Structures are given as C-alpha cells and as structure tokens.
Amino acid sequence: MDAAELAASPFISLLAWSVVLLVFHVSLQGMMSTFELGSAWNAGPRDDERKPSGKLAGRAERASGNFQETYPAFVGLALALAIVGDPTGWGLTGAWLWFAFRIAYIPLYLAGVSYVRSLFWLGSLAGLLIMVSALVF
C-alpha cells in the first residue's frame, strides 16, 4: 500500500477525529478542575497536589481516564486496519461504534447515569472486538 492509499483510508480520518475527542476529554477535565480550584491553581506549579473534590470535575477526570484506557487499543487497531485493509467493512463499522459510544459516554458519565453508562462502555468494547475480528478472521 502506498502513502496515497493509506492517506485515503477512512481509518486515518477516524483516527484524526479520535484525537479531537482525546483533546476534548483533556480540556473538559481541565476546565472542570479550573472552575473549581481557580485559574491561579491551573497556571501554577500545583506543588500542593490539591485535587478537585467536586462531582463534575471528578467525573470528567474519571471519564478521561476511562477513555485513555481503551484509546491505545483503538489507535493500534485502526492503524492496522488502514495498513492491511478491511475488505468486509466490519473493521470500519467497529471503529465507528467505538467512536460513537465513546462520545455518548461523556454526558452519561457527567450526569452520573449508572448502568446505561456501563452499557455504552460495553458498546465501545464491542466496537474494538469487531475491529479485532476484522483483522483476525
């Protein structure tokens, strides 16, 4: 596969959008923490290791951490599928499922919605497993 074919892969665009989602997670976490602890804390060296104690800041931090747990797997699988191809289209379906469920997960986590949030996490995991299946079978 040459560089032009690789660049045209829909997985490359989805990878770029996933970086936007990563930046959103990190920014949301930072904004919630700054809202609670103030801009002086955010701009400072944070030597006192204060952590936000509010619900939203904590939820944003945990949602970001949860995203970062599966993100490396998504990146690796998406790159592998971009390189080897996805003749059945199932890999791309799995990638879009992972992406969509990860987006929907954010407001569910921030709102404190139990069980449904876990179902959306399982949906994103299913997307990763579909991507693995597209590579293996």
Side-chain angles (χ1 to χ4, degrees):
M1 172 177 286
D2 67 8
E5 288 176 328
L6 187 59
S9 170
F11 291 102
I12 301 303
S13 295
L14 196 48
L15 275 169
W17 281 110
S18 76
V19 171
V20 171
L21 185 55
L22 173 67
V23 170
F24 178 79
H25 265 289
V26 173
S27 298
L28 180 66
Q29 178 185 355
M31 286 187 305
M32 295 293 179
S33 296
T34 301
F35 181 73
E36 184 178 327
L37 298 175
S39 58
W41 169 84
N42 191 353
R46 302 179 200 163
D47 291 334
D48 61 2
E49 296 189 29
R50 283 186 352 182
K51 295 230 178 220
S53 59
K55 285 183 183 179
L56 283 179
R59 289 174 184 170
E61 181 179 359
R62 290 186 298 277
S64 179
N66 183 279
F67 174 81
Q68 291 173 37
E69 289 172 354
T70 62
Y71 189 55
F74 173 76
V75 170
L77 290 167
L79 286 173
L81 284 161
I83 292 167
V84 302
D86 181 26
T88 64
W90 279 105
L92 187 58
T93 300
W96 275 111
L97 282 173
W98 177 87
F99 188 70
F101 278 109
R102 292 311 313 190
I103 289 173
Y105 186 85
I106 298 167
L108 291 171
Y109 207 121
L110 290 178
V113 178
S114 301
Y115 300 107
V116 174
R117 183 193 81 223
S118 297
L119 290 174
F120 275 70
W121 181 84
L122 287 171
S124 71
L125 184 62
L128 291 177
L129 293 175
I130 292 169
M131 293 171 75
V132 167
S133 296
L135 283 168
V136 175
F137 301 111

